[in-house]
């Protein structure tokens, strides 16, 4: 049995019956739903002291990704957006409209999930920028030499080392971090393993303003995680 808590899932099978029953009762009171056993993929372990249940032991819960959050077909095969689109086209050609409707819905859910993930990566980028956190900035950028960055009023900078050097300079400027960055007119587009966000940055520091920049941030999905690979910002007069 697997229970979902705060976007993660906890495998609770094989627990002592006294504990698992209390977990189920607590979950029902909190409005937490259950998923059938076997629908999760163990990722890491969280050790929780079970003393609230008066059991003198430590229990290991394994967070799982629910099957519903995976791109999995009825045969248990992982599929991507292009595969779903091909199957949808084939179903329409074969006039299997029931299957086509299901694939269309699956495609829409997958697309919306990808857009949310790209927006989350975009938020991590600007969070690092606001704090002047170079370590976090390094973590969000892709590691290939094909990445590039254009800061306002500057030319194109290409390659991981040079791009990181540029952010080292930005984060090293004598500002009182965190700075204020307001994002306006945010739009996100995703196709397969590439997504991009367009927005307007309004950057302010204590006692001064950098004005507004129109920005485009391009992200690439690598091993299931989204990384920024292009940042282009240009001044604009409001």
């Amino acid at each position: 049995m697997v229970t979902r808590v705060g976007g993660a899932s906890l495998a609770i099978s094989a627990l002592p019956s006294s504990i698992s029953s209390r977990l189920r009762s607590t979950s029902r009171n909190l409005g937490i739903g259950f998923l059938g056993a076997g629908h999760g993929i163990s990722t890491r372990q969280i050790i929780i002291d079970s003393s609230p249940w008066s059991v003198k032991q430590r229990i290991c819960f394994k967070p799982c990704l629910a099957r519903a959050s995976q791109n999995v077909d009825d045969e248990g095969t992982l599929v991507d957006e292009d595969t779903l689109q091909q199957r949808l086209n084939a179903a329409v050609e074969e006039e299997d409209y029931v299957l086509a409707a299901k694939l269309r819905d699956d495609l829409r859910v997958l697309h919306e999930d990808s857009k949310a993930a790209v927006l989350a990566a975009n938020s991590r980028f600007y969070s690092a920028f606001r704090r002047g956190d170079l370590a976090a900035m390094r973590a969000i950028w892709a590691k290939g030499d094909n990445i590039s960055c254009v800061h306002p009023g500057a030319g194109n900078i290409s390659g991981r080392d040079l791009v990181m050097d540029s952010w080292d300079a930005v984060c090293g400027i004598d500002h009182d971090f965190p700075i204020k960055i307001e994002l306006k007119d945010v739009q996100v587009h995703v196709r397969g393993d590439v997504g991009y966000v367009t927005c307007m940055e309004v950057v302010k520091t204590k006692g001064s303003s950098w004005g507004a920049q129109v920005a485009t941030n391009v992200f690439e999905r690598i091993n299931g995680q989204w990384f920024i690979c292009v940042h282009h910002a240009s001044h604009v007069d409001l």
Side-chain angles (χ1 to χ4, degrees), residues 5 8 48 50-51 58-59 66 85 90 108 121 131 148 155 159 167 185-186 193 209 223 229 231 235:
V5 182
I48 299 178
S50 61
S51 56
R58 293 175 71 81
I59 302 171
Q85 186 63 56
R108 183 173 64 248
R131 302 193 314 270
S148 67
W167 283 107
D185 302 327
V186 178
D193 290 333
S209 173
N223 295 327
C229 55
H231 170 69
H235 283 297

PDB file of all heavy atoms in Angstrom, residues 5 8 48 50-51 58-59 66 85 90 108 121 131 148 155 159 167 185-186 193 209 223 229 231 235:
ATOM      1  N   VAL A   5       1.650  11.951   0.275  1.00  0.00           N
ATOM      2  CA  VAL A   5       1.702  13.046   1.237  1.00  0.00           C
ATOM      3  C   VAL A   5       2.477  14.191   0.626  1.00  0.00           C
ATOM      4  O   VAL A   5       3.645  14.042   0.304  1.00  0.00           O
ATOM      5  CB  VAL A   5       2.399  12.614   2.554  1.00  0.00           C
ATOM      6  CG1 VAL A   5       2.382  13.756   3.541  1.00  0.00           C
ATOM      7  CG2 VAL A   5       1.717  11.382   3.145  1.00  0.00           C
ATOM      8  N   ALA A   8       4.533  13.631  -2.534  1.00  0.00           N
ATOM      9  CA  ALA A   8       5.336  12.417  -2.568  1.00  0.00           C
ATOM     10  C   ALA A   8       4.431  11.253  -2.192  1.00  0.00           C
ATOM     11  O   ALA A   8       3.281  11.431  -1.824  1.00  0.00           O
ATOM     12  CB  ALA A   8       6.520  12.510  -1.600  1.00  0.00           C
ATOM     13  N   ILE A  48      11.856   7.790  10.042  1.00  0.00           N
ATOM     14  CA  ILE A  48      10.920   8.494  10.910  1.00  0.00           C
ATOM     15  C   ILE A  48      10.834   7.757  12.233  1.00  0.00           C
ATOM     16  O   ILE A  48      10.635   6.541  12.274  1.00  0.00           O
ATOM     17  CB  ILE A  48       9.523   8.579  10.268  1.00  0.00           C
ATOM     18  CG1 ILE A  48       9.606   9.357   8.940  1.00  0.00           C
ATOM     19  CG2 ILE A  48       8.536   9.248  11.203  1.00  0.00           C
ATOM     20  CD1 ILE A  48       8.295   9.436   8.232  1.00  0.00           C
ATOM     21  N   SER A  50       9.108   6.301  15.169  1.00  0.00           N
ATOM     22  CA  SER A  50       7.716   5.869  15.311  1.00  0.00           C
ATOM     23  C   SER A  50       7.221   5.942  16.742  1.00  0.00           C
ATOM     24  O   SER A  50       6.197   5.366  17.067  1.00  0.00           O
ATOM     25  CB  SER A  50       7.571   4.435  14.802  1.00  0.00           C
ATOM     26  OG  SER A  50       8.379   3.559  15.564  1.00  0.00           O
ATOM     27  N   SER A  51       7.929   6.659  17.626  1.00  0.00           N
ATOM     28  CA  SER A  51       7.527   6.715  19.024  1.00  0.00           C
ATOM     29  C   SER A  51       6.115   7.234  19.251  1.00  0.00           C
ATOM     30  O   SER A  51       5.486   6.847  20.235  1.00  0.00           O
ATOM     31  CB  SER A  51       8.525   7.553  19.822  1.00  0.00           C
ATOM     32  OG  SER A  51       8.651   8.847  19.271  1.00  0.00           O
ATOM     33  N   ARG A  58      12.543   2.245  14.722  1.00  0.00           N
ATOM     34  CA  ARG A  58      12.561   3.276  13.694  1.00  0.00           C
ATOM     35  C   ARG A  58      12.120   2.645  12.397  1.00  0.00           C
ATOM     36  O   ARG A  58      12.567   1.567  12.038  1.00  0.00           O
ATOM     37  CB  ARG A  58      13.964   3.879  13.552  1.00  0.00           C
ATOM     38  CG  ARG A  58      14.375   4.658  14.795  1.00  0.00           C
ATOM     39  CD  ARG A  58      15.793   5.143  14.692  1.00  0.00           C
ATOM     40  NE  ARG A  58      15.935   6.209  13.705  1.00  0.00           N
ATOM     41  CZ  ARG A  58      15.649   7.472  13.948  1.00  0.00           C
ATOM     42  NH1 ARG A  58      15.187   7.834  15.114  1.00  0.00           N
ATOM     43  NH2 ARG A  58      15.840   8.381  13.026  1.00  0.00           N
ATOM     44  N   ILE A  59      11.224   3.310  11.712  1.00  0.00           N
ATOM     45  CA  ILE A  59      10.620   2.759  10.505  1.00  0.00           C
ATOM     46  C   ILE A  59      11.150   3.492   9.301  1.00  0.00           C
ATOM     47  O   ILE A  59      11.300   4.709   9.315  1.00  0.00           O
ATOM     48  CB  ILE A  59       9.085   2.908  10.559  1.00  0.00           C
ATOM     49  CG1 ILE A  59       8.552   2.203  11.802  1.00  0.00           C
ATOM     50  CG2 ILE A  59       8.446   2.339   9.302  1.00  0.00           C
ATOM     51  CD1 ILE A  59       7.095   2.475  12.045  1.00  0.00           C
ATOM     52  N   ALA A  66       4.188   8.149  -7.698  1.00  0.00           N
ATOM     53  CA  ALA A  66       2.995   7.402  -8.071  1.00  0.00           C
ATOM     54  C   ALA A  66       2.976   7.138  -9.554  1.00  0.00           C
ATOM     55  O   ALA A  66       3.432   7.940 -10.353  1.00  0.00           O
ATOM     56  CB  ALA A  66       1.743   8.196  -7.663  1.00  0.00           C
ATOM     57  N   GLN A  85       1.814  11.393 -29.252  1.00  0.00           N
ATOM     58  CA  GLN A  85       1.285  12.067 -30.430  1.00  0.00           C
ATOM     59  C   GLN A  85       1.184  11.099 -31.615  1.00  0.00           C
ATOM     60  O   GLN A  85       0.194  11.116 -32.355  1.00  0.00           O
ATOM     61  CB  GLN A  85       2.171  13.255 -30.795  1.00  0.00           C
ATOM     62  CG  GLN A  85       1.628  14.113 -31.941  1.00  0.00           C
ATOM     63  CD  GLN A  85       0.306  14.769 -31.589  1.00  0.00           C
ATOM     64  OE1 GLN A  85       0.210  15.488 -30.590  1.00  0.00           O
ATOM     65  NE2 GLN A  85      -0.728  14.520 -32.382  1.00  0.00           N
ATOM     66  N   ALA A  90      -2.270   7.734 -35.079  1.00  0.00           N
ATOM     67  CA  ALA A  90      -2.629   6.408 -35.583  1.00  0.00           C
ATOM     68  C   ALA A  90      -4.060   6.051 -35.210  1.00  0.00           C
ATOM     69  O   ALA A  90      -4.799   5.467 -36.017  1.00  0.00           O
ATOM     70  CB  ALA A  90      -1.656   5.365 -35.026  1.00  0.00           C
ATOM     71  N   ARG A 108      -2.491  15.953 -23.079  1.00  0.00           N
ATOM     72  CA  ARG A 108      -2.713  17.257 -22.454  1.00  0.00           C
ATOM     73  C   ARG A 108      -2.174  17.284 -21.021  1.00  0.00           C
ATOM     74  O   ARG A 108      -1.533  18.250 -20.602  1.00  0.00           O
ATOM     75  CB  ARG A 108      -4.208  17.590 -22.446  1.00  0.00           C
ATOM     76  CG  ARG A 108      -4.501  18.981 -21.859  1.00  0.00           C
ATOM     77  CD  ARG A 108      -5.959  19.383 -22.000  1.00  0.00           C
ATOM     78  NE  ARG A 108      -6.833  18.506 -21.246  1.00  0.00           N
ATOM     79  CZ  ARG A 108      -7.696  17.661 -21.776  1.00  0.00           C
ATOM     80  NH1 ARG A 108      -7.796  17.566 -23.090  1.00  0.00           N
ATOM     81  NH2 ARG A 108      -8.458  16.900 -21.025  1.00  0.00           N
ATOM     82  N   ALA A 121      11.545  25.203 -12.731  1.00  0.00           N
ATOM     83  CA  ALA A 121      12.975  25.411 -12.997  1.00  0.00           C
ATOM     84  C   ALA A 121      13.271  26.894 -13.193  1.00  0.00           C
ATOM     85  O   ALA A 121      14.303  27.402 -12.726  1.00  0.00           O
ATOM     86  CB  ALA A 121      13.403  24.612 -14.229  1.00  0.00           C
ATOM     87  N   ARG A 131      19.072  35.877  -4.739  1.00  0.00           N
ATOM     88  CA  ARG A 131      19.909  35.712  -3.548  1.00  0.00           C
ATOM     89  C   ARG A 131      21.380  35.923  -3.836  1.00  0.00           C
ATOM     90  O   ARG A 131      22.185  35.980  -2.898  1.00  0.00           O
ATOM     91  CB  ARG A 131      19.707  34.313  -2.951  1.00  0.00           C
ATOM     92  CG  ARG A 131      18.280  33.975  -2.564  1.00  0.00           C
ATOM     93  CD  ARG A 131      18.218  32.715  -1.709  1.00  0.00           C
ATOM     94  NE  ARG A 131      19.018  31.630  -2.234  1.00  0.00           N
ATOM     95  CZ  ARG A 131      18.583  30.710  -3.080  1.00  0.00           C
ATOM     96  NH1 ARG A 131      17.335  30.780  -3.530  1.00  0.00           N
ATOM     97  NH2 ARG A 131      19.368  29.738  -3.497  1.00  0.00           N
ATOM     98  N   SER A 148      24.536  29.156 -23.377  1.00  0.00           N
ATOM     99  CA  SER A 148      24.915  30.539 -23.677  1.00  0.00           C
ATOM    100  C   SER A 148      24.101  31.502 -22.833  1.00  0.00           C
ATOM    101  O   SER A 148      23.010  31.179 -22.355  1.00  0.00           O
ATOM    102  CB  SER A 148      24.730  30.849 -25.163  1.00  0.00           C
ATOM    103  OG  SER A 148      23.359  30.829 -25.514  1.00  0.00           O
ATOM    104  N   GLY A 155      27.455  41.182 -24.914  1.00  0.00           N
ATOM    105  CA  GLY A 155      27.405  40.261 -26.025  1.00  0.00           C
ATOM    106  C   GLY A 155      27.139  38.838 -25.561  1.00  0.00           C
ATOM    107  O   GLY A 155      26.979  38.557 -24.365  1.00  0.00           O
ATOM    108  N   GLY A 159      29.535  28.603 -23.521  1.00  0.00           N
ATOM    109  CA  GLY A 159      30.366  27.637 -22.810  1.00  0.00           C
ATOM    110  C   GLY A 159      30.145  27.695 -21.316  1.00  0.00           C
ATOM    111  O   GLY A 159      29.971  28.776 -20.740  1.00  0.00           O
ATOM    112  N   TRP A 167      28.207  34.854 -14.252  1.00  0.00           N
ATOM    113  CA  TRP A 167      27.310  34.903 -13.090  1.00  0.00           C
ATOM    114  C   TRP A 167      28.094  35.127 -11.804  1.00  0.00           C
ATOM    115  O   TRP A 167      27.582  35.723 -10.849  1.00  0.00           O
ATOM    116  CB  TRP A 167      26.474  33.631 -13.006  1.00  0.00           C
ATOM    117  CG  TRP A 167      25.351  33.641 -13.995  1.00  0.00           C
ATOM    118  CD1 TRP A 167      25.247  32.910 -15.139  1.00  0.00           C
ATOM    119  CD2 TRP A 167      24.190  34.470 -13.947  1.00  0.00           C
ATOM    120  NE1 TRP A 167      24.085  33.228 -15.806  1.00  0.00           N
ATOM    121  CE2 TRP A 167      23.417  34.175 -15.096  1.00  0.00           C
ATOM    122  CE3 TRP A 167      23.715  35.429 -13.045  1.00  0.00           C
ATOM    123  CZ2 TRP A 167      22.211  34.816 -15.356  1.00  0.00           C
ATOM    124  CZ3 TRP A 167      22.506  36.067 -13.306  1.00  0.00           C
ATOM    125  CH2 TRP A 167      21.777  35.754 -14.449  1.00  0.00           C
ATOM    126  N   ASP A 185       4.318  39.238 -17.300  1.00  0.00           N
ATOM    127  CA  ASP A 185       4.005  38.677 -18.622  1.00  0.00           C
ATOM    128  C   ASP A 185       4.730  37.347 -18.856  1.00  0.00           C
ATOM    129  O   ASP A 185       5.335  37.120 -19.910  1.00  0.00           O
ATOM    130  CB  ASP A 185       4.370  39.672 -19.731  1.00  0.00           C
ATOM    131  CG  ASP A 185       3.654  40.998 -19.579  1.00  0.00           C
ATOM    132  OD1 ASP A 185       2.510  40.994 -19.100  1.00  0.00           O
ATOM    133  OD2 ASP A 185       4.256  42.035 -19.917  1.00  0.00           O
ATOM    134  N   VAL A 186       4.678  36.475 -17.860  1.00  0.00           N
ATOM    135  CA  VAL A 186       5.367  35.189 -17.961  1.00  0.00           C
ATOM    136  C   VAL A 186       4.580  34.231 -18.862  1.00  0.00           C
ATOM    137  O   VAL A 186       3.391  34.023 -18.657  1.00  0.00           O
ATOM    138  CB  VAL A 186       5.560  34.555 -16.565  1.00  0.00           C
ATOM    139  CG1 VAL A 186       6.234  33.197 -16.677  1.00  0.00           C
ATOM    140  CG2 VAL A 186       6.362  35.491 -15.672  1.00  0.00           C
ATOM    141  N   ASP A 193      11.570  17.596 -25.021  1.00  0.00           N
ATOM    142  CA  ASP A 193      12.560  17.832 -23.974  1.00  0.00           C
ATOM    143  C   ASP A 193      13.108  19.244 -23.970  1.00  0.00           C
ATOM    144  O   ASP A 193      14.126  19.513 -23.328  1.00  0.00           O
ATOM    145  CB  ASP A 193      13.723  16.839 -24.120  1.00  0.00           C
ATOM    146  CG  ASP A 193      13.319  15.419 -23.760  1.00  0.00           C
ATOM    147  OD1 ASP A 193      12.385  15.252 -22.949  1.00  0.00           O
ATOM    148  OD2 ASP A 193      13.927  14.473 -24.296  1.00  0.00           O
ATOM    149  N   SER A 209      17.625  51.063  -9.360  1.00  0.00           N
ATOM    150  CA  SER A 209      16.856  50.136 -10.187  1.00  0.00           C
ATOM    151  C   SER A 209      17.635  49.830 -11.450  1.00  0.00           C
ATOM    152  O   SER A 209      18.285  50.706 -12.020  1.00  0.00           O
ATOM    153  CB  SER A 209      15.490  50.741 -10.555  1.00  0.00           C
ATOM    154  OG  SER A 209      14.811  49.925 -11.487  1.00  0.00           O
ATOM    155  N   ASN A 223      17.892  13.712 -18.314  1.00  0.00           N
ATOM    156  CA  ASN A 223      17.673  12.648 -17.321  1.00  0.00           C
ATOM    157  C   ASN A 223      16.498  12.974 -16.408  1.00  0.00           C
ATOM    158  O   ASN A 223      16.560  12.765 -15.188  1.00  0.00           O
ATOM    159  CB  ASN A 223      18.936  12.417 -16.494  1.00  0.00           C
ATOM    160  CG  ASN A 223      20.090  11.890 -17.330  1.00  0.00           C
ATOM    161  OD1 ASN A 223      19.888  11.148 -18.292  1.00  0.00           O
ATOM    162  ND2 ASN A 223      21.311  12.273 -16.978  1.00  0.00           N
ATOM    163  N   CYS A 229      19.617  26.342 -20.318  1.00  0.00           N
ATOM    164  CA  CYS A 229      20.765  26.271 -21.226  1.00  0.00           C
ATOM    165  C   CYS A 229      20.972  27.581 -21.987  1.00  0.00           C
ATOM    166  O   CYS A 229      22.045  27.790 -22.558  1.00  0.00           O
ATOM    167  CB  CYS A 229      20.628  25.099 -22.201  1.00  0.00           C
ATOM    168  SG  CYS A 229      19.110  25.072 -23.160  1.00  0.00           S
ATOM    169  N   HIS A 231      20.027  31.904 -21.502  1.00  0.00           N
ATOM    170  CA  HIS A 231      19.387  33.062 -20.875  1.00  0.00           C
ATOM    171  C   HIS A 231      19.756  34.285 -21.691  1.00  0.00           C
ATOM    172  O   HIS A 231      20.935  34.551 -21.938  1.00  0.00           O
ATOM    173  CB  HIS A 231      19.861  33.246 -19.436  1.00  0.00           C
ATOM    174  CG  HIS A 231      19.433  34.552 -18.805  1.00  0.00           C
ATOM    175  ND1 HIS A 231      18.120  34.822 -18.485  1.00  0.00           N
ATOM    176  CD2 HIS A 231      20.152  35.654 -18.460  1.00  0.00           C
ATOM    177  CE1 HIS A 231      18.050  36.038 -17.966  1.00  0.00           C
ATOM    178  NE2 HIS A 231      19.276  36.575 -17.933  1.00  0.00           N
ATOM    179  N   HIS A 235      17.555  45.184 -22.280  1.00  0.00           N
ATOM    180  CA  HIS A 235      16.863  46.331 -21.710  1.00  0.00           C
ATOM    181  C   HIS A 235      15.681  46.729 -22.598  1.00  0.00           C
ATOM    182  O   HIS A 235      15.718  46.608 -23.818  1.00  0.00           O
ATOM    183  CB  HIS A 235      17.796  47.519 -21.567  1.00  0.00           C
ATOM    184  CG  HIS A 235      18.737  47.412 -20.400  1.00  0.00           C
ATOM    185  ND1 HIS A 235      18.313  47.369 -19.088  1.00  0.00           N
ATOM    186  CD2 HIS A 235      20.096  47.342 -20.366  1.00  0.00           C
ATOM    187  CE1 HIS A 235      19.353  47.269 -18.285  1.00  0.00           C
ATOM    188  NE2 HIS A 235      20.450  47.251 -19.028  1.00  0.00           N
TER     189      HIS A 235
END
